Amino acid sequence: MSDARSIIAKLRQRQTPSREELSWFAQGLADGTVTDAQAGAFAMAVCLNGLGDVGRVALTMAMRDSGQVLDWDLDGPVLDKHSTGGVGDCVSLVLAPALAACGAYVPMISGRGLGHTGGTLDKLDAIPGVSTELSEQRLRDVLTKAGCAIVGATAKVAPADKRLYAVRDVTATVESMDLITASILSKKLAAGLDGLVLDVKVGSGAFMKDAEAARALADALVKTANAAGCKTTALITDMSQPLAPALGNALEVAEAMRTLTGPAQGPLVEISAALGGVLLANGGLVNDVQAGADAIVAAISDGRAAERFGTMIAAMGGPLHFVENWSRFLPEATVIREINARGPGYICAIDGEALGLAVVDLGGGRKAEGDVINPAVGLSDVARLGSKLSKGQPLCVIHAARPADADRAEAAVRRAITIGRQAPDVPDLIAERVG
């Protein structure tokens, strides 16, 4: 007979619990048998000592099987993407509708903000009326209408993860490779996918700060997902600066809308094409990755992706004409302040994590479970790495609720952005492919 204390003790002693023990613990997370204190101790023990390959797969499968595993009867492949987390990362809002426009179905089960990174569900919450907590039947209805649905995990889907996810955010155990892998894949595999692509971030704004750690995580994710029978590829992508020039929920929705309704160019399009190209090829909708990338760009360029996004938003309770009038629906902060360079030079380095934490401090993220987010606050127009600035040119624009909040954010921004005399080497957005 398993019990939480013996399982935690094993982990503390650097032993891997059995598959049966991990299955019991996951079920205990789901049904409340495991207490919050035990969940936190488990997360910390895994974070410190790890599970190993076998234990990681076992925990992932146990968390997937703690609830309902969906199945589908659709006329196209069921595909999805997941990012390991970064700043200014609103790719899901662009890629999901673009994939739908190309013939895929995308039941994207997403999360809320963790640590310094923003959450896709929090971004969608900035749109009036939108509900991301849908029943299974509502999810199926939205998917049928729009081809894509970006939602939270229902109480029936991977309930063990929902519980552990919240605990990780407030116990400084977010960065565990094993817990990240199990969290991501338990939800994704429960969605009944035919194919998955993983966007593994590396750099100052990511959880993985160096290429070796990112490669190890990508390898763990790909091996675990493929072992579960889901065709999976990972791309390691750069997060040495915010992906979009905005951090904060409504501000990132605005960037996604500019991408969907404006010229199909910039980092959001580039990374959407790279990720989407792999998915469309793996899902059999195109002959190769390049054809898939071209199809994604075309879907964004000709407005089909924006149309799918609008259909999804309306089906999830949002405004009927959001795509046509998105700027009037998004909330705006009461204090908007431009921060200018104090001297000339190049943007040599950007501490993305520090910028993300500045947004959390503004009220755009959670410091404790249950915190209410202000969707309007954040940073916009963030200068790009390698940019040459003259004295007085803008570093970014702060969106705050109060002047004192803006003061703190300004100090944080100035610490986070380094201006020097020489232009830096700017990393490629797509570093490598795994699997």
Side-chain angles (χ1 to χ4, degrees), residues 242 244-247 251-252 255 258 336-340 347 350 355 378-384 387 389 393-399 413 417:
L247 294 79
L251 297 170
E252 290 184 51
E255 286 299 325
R258 289 187 188 101
I336 299 176
R337 180 188 300 176
E338 186 174 273
I339 306 304
N340 299 316
I347 304 290
I350 298 175
L355 291 183
L379 309 174
S380 71
D381 305 280
V382 181
R384 305 300 288 169
S387 298
L389 300 181
Q393 283 192 289
L395 292 174
C396 76
V397 176
I398 293 171
H399 301 249
V413 166
I417 299 179

Side-chain angles (χ1 to χ4, degrees), residues 81 83 85-94 113 116-124 126-127 239 242-260 268 309 322 326 330-331 352 355-356 359-360 364-365 375-382 399:
K81 157 266 177 189
S83 166
V87 290
D89 181 3
C90 44
V91 170
S92 293
L93 305 183
V94 175
H116 68 279
T117 67
T120 301
L121 299 184
D122 296 325
K123 301 185 212 309
L124 285 175
I127 302 174
M239 187 44 73
L243 184 60
L247 294 79
N249 296 299
L251 297 170
E252 290 184 51
V253 173
E255 286 299 325
M257 296 315 300
R258 289 187 188 101
T259 299
L260 286 169
L268 283 179
F309 186 82
F322 180 75
W326 57 266
L330 294 174
L355 291 183
V359 174
V360 172
V377 301
L379 309 174
S380 71
D381 305 280
V382 181
H399 301 249

